[in-house]
């Protein structure tokens, strides 16, 4: 199926985001939100209006550049009415905020139509941490001397020890690992680099993995984490944790839980919140 053609606004906005060095994931998310808003505005005159109202509505602006606040509020309400999560609506609101700030800066519009529009409320959903007995079962599920066992053990330990995001961990190369200083160099949000220290046991697990990695058929690849078909991607990391979590009686285990477990343990051990924010990016 062909992808829908991008509007001139979408192409210019994408160029702007790339110039700001936004991540591919952010660019993709923002363009999806922009396309959803454009589609809503284009179809707005046909939504529940009588014939006369449609004729009057045909004169109204249907582009994002000319949309009034009322239409943008209607778009946000429609997102929630369609059963989308409040967090999705909040993301689309953020897209509009960034878009209109850029349009004002570019002098494409004079007034930001959502300058005083409030963001949708997002109920807090605490991410569950992995309890100590669950971690024991998880490491037991990963135990062994095979390539996958050593890789998965090292991955889980480093996720718990550093609080790295899945994209940060999956994007590591061999050059990003310093076993002398016991740190990882990751590329985080906003393309900002930061170093993540890890402990002795994690370093030992990583060293074991690197020894079996050297015998992998794709050992010449630059990526640190390898799978059956080359690089282990961020999605491959998610699938690995789901599989290992199911084996350990932790259904639905995902990288964000390990990141929250890292943060929880840091604070429980008396670590400072400011240091945690810096390390976790």
């Amino acid at each position: 199926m062909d992808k829908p053609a991008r509007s001139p606004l979408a192409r210019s906005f994408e160029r702007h985001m790339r110039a700001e060095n936004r991540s591919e994931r952010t660019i993709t998310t923002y363009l999806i939100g922009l396309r959803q808003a454009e589609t809503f505005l284009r179809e707005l005159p046909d939504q529940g209006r009588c014939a006369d109202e449609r004729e009057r509505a045909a004169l109204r602006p249907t582009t994002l550049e000319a949309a009034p606040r009322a239409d943008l509020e209607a778009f946000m309400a429609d997102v929630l009415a369609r059963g989308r999560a409040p967090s999705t609506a909040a993301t689309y609101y953020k897209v509009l905020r960034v878009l209109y700030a850029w349009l004002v800066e570019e002098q494409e519009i004079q007034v930001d139509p959502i300058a005083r529009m409030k963001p949708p409320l997002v109920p807090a959903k605490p991410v569950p941490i992995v309890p100590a007995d669950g971690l024991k079962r998880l490491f037991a599920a990963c135990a062994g001397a095979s390539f996958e066992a050593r890789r998965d053990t090292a991955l889980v330990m480093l996720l718990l020890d550093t609080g790295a995001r899945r994209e940060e961990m999956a994007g590591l190369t061999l050059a990003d690992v310093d076993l002398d200083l016991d740190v990882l160099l990751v590329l985080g949000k906003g393309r900002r680099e930061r170093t993540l220290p890890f402990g002795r046991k994690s370093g030992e697990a990583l060293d074991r993995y690197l020894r079996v990695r050297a015998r992998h058929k794709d050992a010449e690849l630059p990526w640190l984490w390898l799978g059956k078909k080359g690089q282990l991607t961020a999605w491959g990391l998610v699938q690995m944790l789901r599989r290992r979590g199911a084996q350990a009686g932790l259904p639905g285990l995902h990288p964000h839980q390990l990141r929250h477990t890292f943060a929880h343990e840091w604070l429980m051990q008396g670590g400072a919140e400011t240091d945690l924010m810096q390390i976790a990016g």
Side-chain angles (χ1 to χ4, degrees):
M1 179 181 293
D2 294 336
K3 293 182 179 179
R6 287 180 302 166
S7 66
L9 176 63
R11 287 195 293 270
S12 295
F13 189 47
E14 179 181 358
R15 186 182 297 275
H16 164 66
M17 289 189 288
R18 292 194 184 282
E20 287 201 329
N21 207 20
R22 301 262 187 172
S23 71
E24 286 298 323
R25 185 179 179 185
T26 297
I27 292 172
T28 299
T29 300
Y30 277 31
L31 290 178
I32 290 173
L34 185 148
R35 187 167 64 247
Q36 294 286 331
E38 286 182 326
T39 300
F40 175 84
L41 292 173
R42 187 166 56 248
E43 298 174 352
L44 187 59
D46 294 326
Q47 295 177 11
R49 291 178 168 83
C50 67
D52 291 341
E53 289 174 328
R54 288 198 188 101
E55 291 174 2
R56 289 197 299 271
L59 301 175
R60 72 186 302 163
T62 56
T63 64
L64 277 167
E65 298 96 314
R69 172 177 169 175
D71 284 357
L72 298 173
E73 288 178 332
F75 165 64
M76 298 304 304
D78 182 72
V79 171
L80 294 171
R82 292 176 184 268
R84 305 298 295 274
S87 58
T88 300
T91 298
Y92 288 176
Y93 171 83
K94 184 177 180 181
V95 172
L96 295 178
R97 293 285 295 185
V98 174
L99 172 69
Y100 283 114
W102 170 68
L103 286 173
V104 170
E105 184 179 349
E106 290 291 304
Q107 298 183 353
E108 294 290 339
I109 61 175
Q110 298 300 314
V111 179
D112 183 343
I114 65 168
R116 297 185 179 182
M117 194 168 121
K118 294 182 179 179
L121 294 176
V122 181
K125 287 187 176 180
V127 177
I129 64 170
V130 183
D133 61 329
L135 291 177
K136 289 181 181 178
R137 297 196 306 273
L138 182 59
F139 284 121
C142 296
S146 68
F147 173 84
E148 286 193 350
R150 291 193 171 182
R151 180 200 64 191
D152 297 352
T153 297
L155 262 169
V156 171
M157 292 191 74
L158 284 168
L159 285 168
L160 285 167
D161 220 8
T162 65
R165 299 179 178 89
R166 65 177 184 180
E167 293 86 358
E168 294 170 344
M169 187 62 70
L172 288 171
T173 66
L174 291 170
D176 297 326
V177 180
D178 190 328
L179 287 176
D180 293 324
L181 298 177
D182 286 348
V183 295
L184 304 175
L185 179 64
V186 299
L187 189 64
K189 284 190 173 183
R191 300 282 184 174
R192 291 188 292 269
E193 289 185 339
R194 70 183 193 282
T195 55
L196 301 180
F198 54 83
R200 178 182 58 81
K201 290 185 178 180
S202 293
E204 194 173 39
L206 180 55
D207 182 72
R208 288 196 189 102
Y209 163 68
L210 288 173
R211 278 184 268 138
V212 297
R213 185 196 180 283
R215 300 190 291 271
H216 193 281
K217 64 181 180 64
D218 294 317
E220 75 283 355
L221 291 177
W223 309 109
L224 174 60
W225 306 110
L226 299 179
K228 293 180 179 179
K229 299 180 180 179
Q231 180 193 9
L232 181 73
T233 63
W235 176 238
L237 173 56
V238 171
Q239 290 179 308
M240 180 277 288
L241 283 179
R242 286 180 181 175
R243 184 176 67 254
R244 293 300 192 184
Q247 294 170 354
L250 298 168
L253 181 68
H254 55 86
H256 211 48
Q257 278 182 270
L258 300 184
R259 181 170 161 84
H260 273 257
T261 303
F262 158 78
H264 174 79
E265 290 298 322
W266 175 278
L267 296 175
M268 289 295 290
Q269 296 297 325
E273 288 189 20
T274 52
D275 291 339
L276 174 61
M277 291 172 65
Q278 183 174 3
I279 292 174

